[in-house]
Amino acid sequence: MYAEEMVNRTRMFYLNSDDIYIEKREIPIKIVKKMNNNFIVGKLLNKSFVDYFGYYKKYFFEFEVKETSQDFFNVNLIKPHQLEFLTKINKHGVKTFILVYFSLYSAFYLIEYTWLMKQKEISNSIEYKKIQNECYKLEIFFPGILNLKQVFSLLYI
């Protein structure tokens, strides 16, 4: 997935930063059978939460990464257990959001979870134009790094 690769590059870039730290959650899998050196059969031990967590300055955050080739974002791309998790931790003051890559426009957007839930009450499909006008576009700098610091400085005032 292109979007996750970009987030992983960004994560590595900020690894030595004093401001931003991002960690990717590992998927809890139990190996059931080894087929050969390249393939295994595994069993998912439990449903994972969301893809990433971390902190910016003194703020803890959690987020999910999604990608779409449409000119809208379908909220149903986020699994129900992930929505439940984000709702639960958001109530405790944790910053929660979704990073969405729109391949049609080669654009990344940070969508705050509370905004997303308000839109979901209206429709599960949110038009690109609405996201473009009301959410945070992530600029790409360096070779494939998302400028999270620029957006986080606006989110965490």
Side-chain angles (χ1 to χ4, degrees), residues 2-3 5-7 9-10 13-14 100-102 105-109 137-148 150-151:
Y2 175 74
E5 177 59 33
M6 288 290 287
V7 172
R9 277 193 220 157
T10 302
F13 176 80
Y14 286 118
V100 178
Y101 176 64
F102 288 88
Y105 306 101
S106 298
F108 280 89
Y109 283 87
K137 184 174 185 182
L138 292 168
E139 300 301 326
I140 299 173
F141 71 96
F142 205 65
I145 306 299
L146 299 171
N147 192 350
L148 290 176
Q150 176 187 27
V151 171

Side-chain angles (χ1 to χ4, degrees), residues 67-114:
E67 190 170 311
T68 181
S69 59
Q70 307 297 318
D71 64 349
F72 61 90
F73 177 68
N74 187 335
V75 180
N76 291 330
L77 290 174
I78 306 168
K79 296 177 180 89
H81 70 276
Q82 292 172 324
L83 288 173
E84 288 171 26
F85 174 74
L86 290 170
T87 299
K88 186 176 187 177
I89 64 169
N90 189 271
K91 288 179 183 176
H92 292 284
V94 174
K95 298 286 187 179
T96 51
F97 53 89
I98 310 298
L99 287 185
V100 178
Y101 176 64
F102 288 88
S103 60
L104 277 176
Y105 306 101
S106 298
F108 280 89
Y109 283 87
L110 186 150
I111 302 173
E112 290 184 273
Y113 182 72
T114 51

Side-chain angles (χ1 to χ4, degrees), residues 6 21 24 34 36-37 74-75 110 115 118 125 135:
M6 288 290 287
Y21 177 79
K24 176 153 177 52
K34 186 174 181 178
N36 59 40
N37 288 338
N74 187 335
V75 180
L110 186 150
W115 184 90
K118 286 177 187 170
S125 293
C135 297

